[in-house]
Amino acid sequence: KAGVTQTPRYLIKTRGQQVTLSCSPISGHRSVSWYQQTPGQGLQFLFEYFSETQRNKGNFPGRFSGRQFSNSRSEMNVSTLELGDSALYLCASSLVAGDSTDTQYFGPGTRLTVL
Amino acid sequence: AQSVTQLDSHVSVSEGTPVLLRCNYSSSYSPSLFWYVQHPNKGLQLLLKYTSAATLVKGINGFEAEFKKSETSFHLTKPSAHMSDAAEYFCVVSRSASKIIFGSGTRLSIRP
């Protein structure tokens, strides 16, 4: 079974631009979560989607948004990019949402660099 | 509230010697605990998870972890380190995807 895929793998943008990242979950998984990883803050939860609905959102500004499609694929968008948005963005999928025992499977990430 | 503390930011061992990566957690309920590994420029790969079944959990690549409620610990061990084990390791406590707390990570280096 194919794993979680994320595109693109690397992205370079300039301040003020916007960016869209894509995530395709493991087949059959309906929950997709997004995380930001930076050297200073570590791994931080962005948001979680299940059945096209955002279930939970982390403590990030409104410039960060996302959506999920009927096939469970998800996109996240960051508008008005800032230097501090440079990070590795990880997507994870799981079978269900809200279950602490359910394993999240991570994609390889998208490395975003903001110049 | 829940939290997780990885006690060592960096661990260095010789190839063929045992590995011990320490993790303490705090949780007001029975937690699910995970260990993930991240190789450079890669995503996180699940090593093992504890979900209130057996306290000794065996994972992939020879790793195992023991859940000790009395010590609130979930340390990761491996009897014999291999060069390919060099990576960053994350201890995770989870209540759900939105209530998942990652440790700060432990970088494991392997000396030839």
Side-chain angles (χ1 to χ4, degrees):
Chain A
K1 188 182 279 190
V4 177
T5 57
Q6 292 186 245
T7 57
R9 291 294 311 280
Y10 301 91
L11 209 47
I12 299 175
K13 293 285 187 179
T14 57
R15 279 180 298 174
Q17 287 187 309
Q18 76 165 17
V19 66
T20 299
L21 312 182
S22 181
C23 171
S24 292
I26 291 172
S27 177
H29 285 194
R30 297 171 61 193
S31 175
V32 173
S33 299
W34 289 88
Y35 300 88
Q36 182 195 63
Q37 185 178 27
T38 61
Q41 300 296 320
L43 279 149
Q44 294 183 289
F45 169 76
L46 279 158
F47 25 65
E48 177 193 12
Y49 286 88
F50 181 78
S51 293
E52 302 178 66
T53 302
Q54 185 181 90
R55 285 178 50 90
N56 292 289
K57 191 177 193 309
N59 189 25
F60 279 82
R63 300 185 296 107
F64 291 81
S65 63
R67 58 178 176 169
Q68 186 181 34
F69 302 95
S70 58
N71 62 358
S72 295
R73 189 176 71 86
S74 177
E75 289 181 347
M76 68 163 280
N77 184 275
V78 188
S79 63
T80 319
L81 284 166
E82 300 177 0
L83 294 179
D85 297 332
S86 294
L88 180 67
Y89 290 87
L90 292 164
C91 166
S93 76
S94 58
L95 278 170
V96 297
D99 183 349
S100 67
T101 65
D102 198 18
T103 299
Q104 291 198 64
Y105 295 89
F106 286 80
T110 293
R111 173 73 64 184
L112 172 65
T113 301
V114 181
L115 302 175
Chain B
Q2 55 183 5
S3 65
V4 59
T5 302
Q6 291 186 242
L7 298 168
D8 307 291
S9 60
H10 181 217
V11 169
S12 180
V13 303
S14 297
E15 190 175 19
T17 64
V19 175
L20 170 64
L21 305 183
R22 299 182 295 165
C23 172
N24 285 356
Y25 70 92
S26 172
S27 179
S28 55
Y29 50 87
S30 184
S32 292
L33 295 160
F34 303 77
W35 276 99
Y36 284 88
V37 60
Q38 185 178 33
H39 288 91
N41 298 311
K42 302 281 188 180
L44 277 69
Q45 180 185 18
L46 178 70
L47 280 176
L48 49 81
K49 72 176 184 180
Y50 166 79
T51 57
S52 75
T55 56
L56 182 62
V57 182
K58 294 189 183 298
I60 62 171
N61 300 335
F63 285 95
E64 62 181 38
E66 185 171 8
F67 173 73
K68 292 187 176 181
K69 187 175 182 178
S70 60
E71 299 176 11
T72 61
S73 69
F74 190 57
H75 300 336
L76 181 70
T77 61
K78 182 173 180 177
S80 176
H82 190 273
M83 294 300 291
S84 61
D85 294 328
E88 187 97 16
Y89 291 78
F90 293 92
C91 181
V92 175
V93 59
S94 171
R95 187 173 185 180
S96 67
S98 62
K99 295 177 175 60
I100 185 170
I101 306 296
F102 290 86
S104 55
T106 298
R107 183 165 61 90
L108 176 63
S109 299
I110 311 296
R111 302 187 299 270

